[in-house]
Amino acid sequence: MPAVHLGMLTSNTAARAFYDRLGFHEIDMPNAEPVTYLGLEVGPNAGLGASAVG
C-alpha cells in the first residue's frame, strides 16, 4: 500500500494541526522524542476525499 511519512518536532502544534487536517495519523516510534512521525496512505484506494483537499 503506497504511503508517505514524515517526522516533525512534537512541539510544533501548528504543523500537527495542519497534518491532522490532511488525514495523517501518528506512527508509533519508541524513544522518538522530540520528534513525532506521521503517515498517510496515498493512491487510488487510500480513501482521500474532499475533506483532505479543502
Side-chain angles (χ1 to χ4, degrees):
M1 170 175 318
V4 299
H5 70 276
L6 61 90
M8 55 165 279
L9 288 176
T10 303
S11 61
N12 191 344
T13 57
R16 178 61 191 263
F18 172 77
Y19 291 124
D20 285 347
R21 285 192 304 271
L22 292 178
F24 279 80
H25 65 275
E26 190 165 338
I27 300 171
D28 185 30
M29 297 289 290
N31 305 314
E33 287 292 329
V35 177
T36 297
Y37 292 96
L38 304 174
L40 178 69
E41 294 177 16
V42 295
N45 298 320
L48 295 176
S51 62
V53 175

